[in-house]
Amino acid sequence: MKPRVLFRKSLLVRYMLIVFAALVIWPIIFPLASILYQLTTDYTNEAKLKENIYAGGDRLEKRWHEEAAALKDAKEAAIAQRLRELKREFPKADLFWVDQTGRTRLMLPERPGIPRQWIAGDSIAFMKQSFNGDPFTAVAFIGQQPEQGFIVIQVPRKLMVSNASFDSAHVFIIVIAVFVLFIASSWWFFYRLRSRLVHLEEAMTSPDGSGIPAPVEVRSSDEIGQLEHAFNRMIGELQLSRQRQREEEELRKKLIANLSHDLRTPLTTIRGHAHSLQQEPLSDRGMQSLALIDTKVGDLAQLIDNLLSYTLLSAKKYEFHPERTDILRLVRASAAGWFPVWEKEGFEVNVDLPEHPLIWEVDPQWFARILDNLFQNVLRHAASGRYIGIRTEMRAGREALVIEDRGPGMEAVSQGKGAGIGLTIVALMVQEMRLHWEVASNSGGTITLMYPKN
């Protein structure tokens, strides 16, 4: 079914029909145009003959011979009278009469170039001069007998209608007309083709709110129509894929949320029993194992908390309440909470913050969570540097918060390195609070910098 439809409505077939029509019309256009032109010319000439008494040389000459034949055996007065009547009928023509003796008997009007007495040489010269000349000249013997003399009528050719012929100018006009018709047909064919392609291009480059273009209306079954069908099928597959992606994302978020909730209870129980064991007499090795259990349980609890936070942030369900906040006061409070941990790990802590307030539009709980994640990263991955510095500096005309460590850098392999979900949470939060966040890391340490966007 599909190949048959394509052949019947193929763009190639349609254009070949245009070319074929142009080739077929050439052999018949010239004879047809010649016939039509001749019919038109004959009709026009006939109409002009009725309007112009001087039109048509054959018609005028036939009339003149009929008038001469009607004067057979007529008296001189009758001949003169008839010529005067014909002069009134043909006022712009010149008429004269030569009798049987060669004498010019009557000229209407008088003309100096006409001989008064004709001889053989005058007759020959007159006939030679008048043959196909201007004016048109018709000579007829009276009564159709030379013995009675002859009468002459002369008409300027500008008063006569000449029969037009089918010449090269008409051929050129017809060629131009056919050529223009072919160009116009080709232009219209490719104009519609281009319009459909442009419409398809606009549909491809104009996605809706979901980022997927809308389907296009298919109005033909030609090659472009097949392309539009394929485009619509692709749109349908993309929409199904996007729907499956949403469903999988929702399922993943739900799974993480449920898993985080279900793991909190056993972790609380394990931590409670570990605390109880600390009250019992244990060997040094037992105490070390118990401390390790407590540390790992804390890490796991932190990971679960991060997973839950990430799920809520991704779903836009994490409560967000921005307000004007003194960032430096918040940083000092958070650093004070982490100071015992850093001191226990032997960190050199350098907090160099100015005394004046630094007001940013942030959610205090979100920003405290960002600081906790950054400090936790320093403790886990930069503990070998035994240093953390907190200060401010000017960046892009704004006062920025800087957190620095002297660890091996983010590219180094760390025993405590995980999936990086803590930094992912930081990235989501700073983006939501419209903060600019930069991280520069090398083997000499890592510098994290934040300041509000313009």
Side-chain angles (χ1 to χ4, degrees):
M1 182 65 181
K2 183 177 179 180
R4 181 175 63 83
V5 172
L6 280 176
F7 177 79
R8 188 180 64 214
K9 297 187 177 181
S10 171
L11 295 172
L12 178 61
V13 171
R14 293 180 183 180
Y15 187 68
M16 291 305 297
L17 287 176
I18 295 176
V19 176
F20 179 75
L23 294 176
V24 168
I25 202 172
W26 285 111
I28 64 175
I29 191 64
F30 297 113
L32 180 62
S34 179
I35 294 172
L36 292 176
Y37 183 83
Q38 194 62 46
L39 291 175
T40 304
T41 302
D42 292 344
Y43 176 81
T44 303
N45 287 341
E46 185 66 25
K48 290 183 178 180
L49 286 173
K50 294 179 180 179
E51 297 176 359
N52 186 5
I53 59 175
Y54 303 102
D58 294 339
R59 171 175 170 270
L60 189 59
E61 187 172 8
K62 179 180 178 183
R63 169 71 184 282
W64 195 246
H65 281 280
E66 290 175 353
E67 292 291 341
L71 294 174
K72 182 178 180 181
D73 299 328
K75 301 297 182 180
E76 293 181 356
I79 295 175
Q81 179 62 30
R82 184 56 186 161
L83 285 179
R84 289 187 176 90
E85 292 174 356
L86 290 174
K87 176 59 178 176
R88 287 193 292 270
E89 183 178 350
F90 299 96
K92 297 182 180 180
D94 293 344
L95 289 72
F96 61 90
W97 163 35
V98 179
D99 63 13
Q100 65 274 17
T101 63
R103 185 165 62 90
T104 302
R105 298 291 301 273
L106 180 64
M107 287 190 292
L108 300 172
E110 291 289 336
R111 291 174 54 188
I114 301 300
R116 291 293 179 177
Q117 183 65 46
W118 291 69
I119 60 175
D122 294 333
S123 300
I124 294 173
F126 177 77
M127 296 302 296
K128 183 177 180 181
Q129 181 181 3
S130 301
F131 181 74
N132 286 336
D134 190 10
F136 170 80
T137 302
V139 180
F141 292 108
I142 297 174
Q144 297 183 347
Q145 296 177 2
E147 293 79 5
Q148 292 185 344
F150 59 89
I151 56 176
V152 179
I153 184 171
Q154 290 185 310
V155 179
R157 289 191 177 271
K158 64 181 181 179
L159 300 178
M160 305 172 70
V161 177
S162 59
N163 291 328
S165 61
F166 190 71
D167 55 16
S168 59
H170 304 124
V171 176
F172 179 75
I173 292 174
I174 293 175
V175 170
I176 292 299
V178 174
F179 180 74
V180 169
L181 178 63
F182 175 74
I183 293 297
S185 302
S186 300
W187 176 85
W188 177 245
F189 177 82
F190 286 107
Y191 173 77
R192 293 185 61 192
L193 187 65
R194 179 184 178 277
S195 298
R196 295 173 63 191
L197 290 175
V198 169
H199 175 69
L200 185 59
E201 179 189 9
E202 291 175 351
M204 291 180 177
T205 56
S206 301
D208 55 15
S210 65
I212 299 178
V216 297
E217 181 182 359
V218 181
R219 298 181 179 179
S220 180
S221 299
D222 54 21
E223 289 85 348
I224 296 182
Q226 297 298 320
L227 179 61
E228 291 170 339
H229 279 297
F231 176 74
N232 290 340
R233 288 194 297 270
M234 181 190 70
I235 296 302
E237 293 175 359
L238 286 175
Q239 291 174 342
L240 289 176
S241 177
R242 181 63 61 85
Q243 181 63 28
R244 288 195 298 267
Q245 183 181 0
R246 291 197 195 99
E247 293 173 355
E248 292 173 358
E249 183 70 17
E250 290 298 325
L251 180 62
R252 181 181 62 83
K253 292 177 181 178
K254 186 177 181 180
L255 178 62
I256 292 175
N258 293 336
L259 185 61
S260 300
H261 182 270
D262 293 341
L263 288 177
R264 285 181 181 275
T265 300
L267 284 178
T268 302
T269 303
I270 292 173
R271 176 166 282 181
H273 283 283
H275 181 71
S276 298
L277 286 175
Q278 289 179 352
Q279 311 301 322
E280 300 294 330
L282 296 173
S283 64
D284 293 341
R285 185 173 181 181
M287 291 298 294
Q288 291 176 359
S289 298
L290 191 60
L292 181 61
I293 290 173
D294 186 66
T295 300
K296 294 303 180 182
V297 168
D299 292 344
L300 185 57
Q302 180 69 27
L303 177 60
I304 293 173
D305 191 40
N306 283 340
L307 282 172
L308 183 59
S309 298
Y310 173 74
T311 303
L312 293 175
L313 284 170
S314 300
K316 304 293 184 181
K317 294 181 180 180
Y318 202 98
E319 292 187 3
F320 178 53
H321 303 289
E323 60 184 55
R324 290 175 60 81
T325 305
D326 184 0
I327 296 301
L328 300 184
R329 183 182 61 79
L330 203 60
V331 172
R332 289 190 183 95
S334 181
W338 279 86
F339 187 81
V341 180
W342 293 331
E343 187 178 29
K344 179 182 177 181
E345 296 295 329
F347 272 68
E348 176 188 352
V349 181
N350 182 13
V351 180
D352 184 15
L353 299 175
E355 295 298 328
H356 61 78
L358 181 59
I359 306 299
W360 292 356
E361 188 79 16
V362 297
D363 185 316
Q365 292 185 357
W366 281 35
F367 199 82
R369 182 63 180 273
I370 290 174
L371 294 174
D372 286 341
N373 282 354
L374 293 178
F375 293 158
Q376 182 71 31
N377 267 1
V378 172
L379 187 63
R380 286 183 179 179
H381 310 306
S384 60
R386 298 291 188 267
Y387 175 84
I388 184 169
I390 305 173
R391 68 180 190 276
T392 61
E393 66 178 49
M394 297 302 296
R395 284 291 181 91
R398 293 180 175 269
E399 194 169 6
L401 176 66
V402 180
I403 300 174
E404 180 181 6
D405 66 62
R406 296 175 182 173
M410 299 182 66
E411 300 298 327
V413 179
S414 173
Q415 184 177 0
K417 191 171 185 179
I421 192 170
L423 290 180
T424 303
I425 293 174
V426 172
L428 290 174
M429 286 185 168
V430 296
Q431 180 180 3
E432 188 69 22
M433 292 190 292
R434 297 185 57 78
L435 298 177
H436 182 78
W437 180 38
E438 292 182 12
V439 178
S441 181
N442 54 41
S443 60
T446 300
I447 297 177
T448 302
L449 181 144
M450 284 183 293
Y451 58 88
K453 295 180 179 179
N454 294 330

